[in-house]
Amino acid sequence: MKKSIFICMIAALFFACKSSSSTAASSSEATTLSTKLDRPTQVALKGNWVLTNVSYPGSDYIKVTSFDLADSKCFIGSNWSFISNNNKGNMALTSPSCTGFSSPIVWSINNQGLFVLKILNAGEKAKKVRDGYLLKVAGVTDNSFQLIDNINVGGQVKDVTYQFQRAN
């Protein structure tokens, strides 16, 4: 699976792109991805959410393109819906300063604490989509949670944190 982040340095000092397959939990980088689901956490995320913030070290100098779609800042204010009983949903970028985008998604959370995400084209079946994204799930409460990815900047791994708040 492709990672969700490709980064490029705005300043001319560094250039780094992340395209290799790995999990957000890099402690066992080459281990097999578990297909056993964490149903309680999936049920906790059921509903509608707004991505309220994207944070990472060096955000003044580094541009992060999230999910191969848009600048990470374009995701602030995006709407996400998660249906836990069939692992489907939708995401929509709505920032007025960015190009709008909406897509069905297929998602799950495995027992390794990884959020597995596939962004689908209209009418496309998830089993036909070979690319997906792995992020670590953290800080799950009734009204908020985070998805965490890591990026390589100048040989150092840094976290990109996507903060979600319940919309309803």
Side-chain angles (χ1 to χ4, degrees):
M1 292 191 162
K2 287 166 75 175
K3 285 301 286 175
S4 65
I5 306 295
F6 289 92
I7 62 167
C8 296
M9 205 60 181
I10 291 175
L13 299 174
F14 296 102
F15 177 75
C17 289
K18 183 174 185 178
S19 61
S20 63
S21 296
S22 66
T23 65
S26 59
S27 60
S28 56
E29 190 118 355
T31 60
T32 304
L33 182 64
S34 174
T35 58
K36 293 184 180 184
L37 300 180
D38 179 351
R39 295 240 183 246
T41 304
Q42 286 188 175
V43 170
L45 297 191
K46 178 182 175 182
N48 297 314
W49 298 84
V50 174
L51 198 157
T52 58
N53 192 36
V54 179
S55 60
Y56 50 92
S59 61
D60 292 339
Y61 305 104
I62 302 168
K63 178 182 177 184
V64 174
T65 299
S66 299
F67 307 110
D68 296 325
L69 292 173
D71 183 280
S72 61
K73 302 302 180 195
C74 292
F75 281 81
I76 296 172
S78 62
N79 298 301
W80 296 68
S81 75
F82 301 112
I83 304 168
S84 61
N85 65 340
N86 68 3
N87 298 100
K88 293 184 179 181
N90 191 58
M91 56 87 65
L93 302 182
T94 57
S95 174
S97 60
C98 300
T99 302
F101 179 83
S102 181
S103 179
I105 61 173
V106 174
W107 66 284
S108 62
I109 300 171
N110 72 10
N111 64 357
Q112 295 166 313
L114 295 176
F115 186 91
V116 181
L117 173 68
K118 287 185 178 184
I119 299 173
L120 309 176
N121 294 319
E124 190 173 34
K125 294 193 183 276
K127 67 182 177 180
K128 298 283 185 186
V129 177
R130 299 186 57 89
D131 296 333
Y133 307 95
L134 299 174
L135 299 102
K136 184 178 176 185
V137 178
V140 177
T141 70
D142 289 343
N143 294 310
S144 67
F145 73 96
Q146 296 90 35
L147 293 179
I148 302 169
D149 199 358
N150 28 39
I151 59 175
N152 186 325
V153 179
Q156 295 182 342
V157 176
K158 305 291 182 186
D159 287 342
V160 176
T161 302
Y162 299 91
Q163 177 68 48
F164 288 82
Q165 295 293 319
R166 189 170 294 280
N168 51 354

